[in-house]
Amino acid sequence: MGAIAGAWQWLTTAANWAGEKGVWHRLAEHLWLSALCLALSCLIALPVALYLGHIGKGGALAVNLSNAGRAVPTFAVLVLLTLSPLGTQGDWPTIIALVLFAVPPLLTNAYLGMREADRDVVEAARGMGMSGPQLLLRVEIPLAYPLIMTGLRSATVQVVATATLAALAGGGGLGRIITAGFGNYDTAQVVAGALLVAVLALAVEGVLVLAERLLDPMRGRRRAARTGARTTGGERSGATGALPGPAAGP
């Protein structure tokens, strides 16, 4: 409890939030680094996954290769890149390590979402004369949207949490608060930095869940389907309750 109380005291001290070493500045660095890595990961993974899922070829190989990359620890990749000539290029070792970390869930979920789209709906759209791009944009991606967003949420939370490693390579972000706490033998500051990272990851997860619901291209149809199912169930229940009982005897 002493460490928690100390962390609370550290977080409620205004001086720890101001300046270049304060929480607000480190938070901005953390969000910028995470957003940049996610944007690059999406630009790499999503076009490949959507195209391979659309044509139905080569996806299994791409997914297996990307999943094999998960076996390599991000910290080990960061250390190797930092010791390479890229170590003198600012945040690039961290960016590359985080991009490699974020690509597998994005690629895997997007590809599986495309392949698990209702084939009857896809074939019906193709039979209506839709071109390949129309089929991809208007049918397959909306059907794959839930799994695509699942991969995005997973990759985002992982990147936000793992971006703390940037501090080990001399980068910015909330990880600098934790490393500074270790350097000063300040357990309260270490715990405070860890709490900030955890709260940020949970907040980002909540925002993405809300965005997923608001931006769902099939939201209206899914709501109508649920309403129809409840209505049908109510009608059946009402019909069952209205069945006449056995006639009373004289």
Side-chain angles (χ1 to χ4, degrees):
M1 291 300 295
I4 299 297
W8 176 254
Q9 183 178 0
W10 192 95
L11 290 171
T12 54
T13 301
N16 293 328
W17 292 75
E20 291 187 358
K21 296 182 179 180
V23 173
W24 290 121
H25 184 73
R26 296 305 187 192
L27 177 61
E29 291 177 337
H30 201 101
L31 290 174
W32 163 249
L33 179 63
S34 300
L36 177 61
C37 294
L38 282 170
L40 293 175
S41 301
C42 290
L43 288 175
I44 294 171
L46 292 183
V48 174
L50 296 178
Y51 175 73
L52 294 178
H54 175 67
I55 65 175
K57 297 179 181 179
L61 177 61
V63 168
N64 288 332
L65 288 176
S66 67
N67 287 336
R70 296 185 181 184
V72 182
T74 305
F75 180 67
V77 175
L78 178 59
V79 170
L80 292 175
L81 292 175
T82 302
L83 296 177
S84 72
L86 280 174
T88 61
Q89 304 301 316
D91 289 331
W92 278 108
T94 304
I95 292 172
I96 294 174
L98 291 178
V99 167
L100 293 176
F101 186 53
V103 163
L106 289 168
L107 179 63
T108 301
N109 282 273
Y111 174 76
L112 291 178
M114 292 289 291
R115 296 313 303 161
E116 291 181 5
D118 192 327
R119 306 322 299 174
D120 292 337
V121 175
V122 174
E123 292 303 322
R126 184 178 285 112
M128 293 172 60
M130 282 191 178
S131 63
Q134 289 177 325
L135 190 65
L136 176 65
L137 295 175
R138 298 174 60 181
V139 179
E140 290 178 319
I141 290 180
L143 291 174
Y145 177 82
L147 272 178
I148 293 174
M149 287 301 297
T150 298
L152 179 61
R153 292 205 320 270
S154 176
T156 302
V157 173
Q158 290 176 7
V159 167
V160 168
T162 312
T164 53
L165 295 177
L168 300 177
L174 295 174
R176 291 296 293 270
I177 296 175
I178 299 175
T179 56
F182 278 119
N184 297 328
Y185 300 98
D186 188 346
T187 303
Q189 183 174 347
V190 173
V191 175
L195 288 174
L196 288 170
V197 174
V199 170
L200 178 60
L202 291 174
V204 169
E205 170 78 5
V207 169
L208 289 177
V209 169
L210 180 61
E212 178 181 355
R213 293 178 180 177
L214 294 177
L215 300 177
D216 188 352
M218 303 288 289
R219 182 176 57 166
R221 296 183 181 180
R222 291 192 178 99
R223 183 182 301 171
R226 287 195 297 268
T227 302
R230 286 196 296 267
T231 303
T232 303
E235 290 176 353
R236 290 178 178 175
S237 177
T240 302
L243 289 175

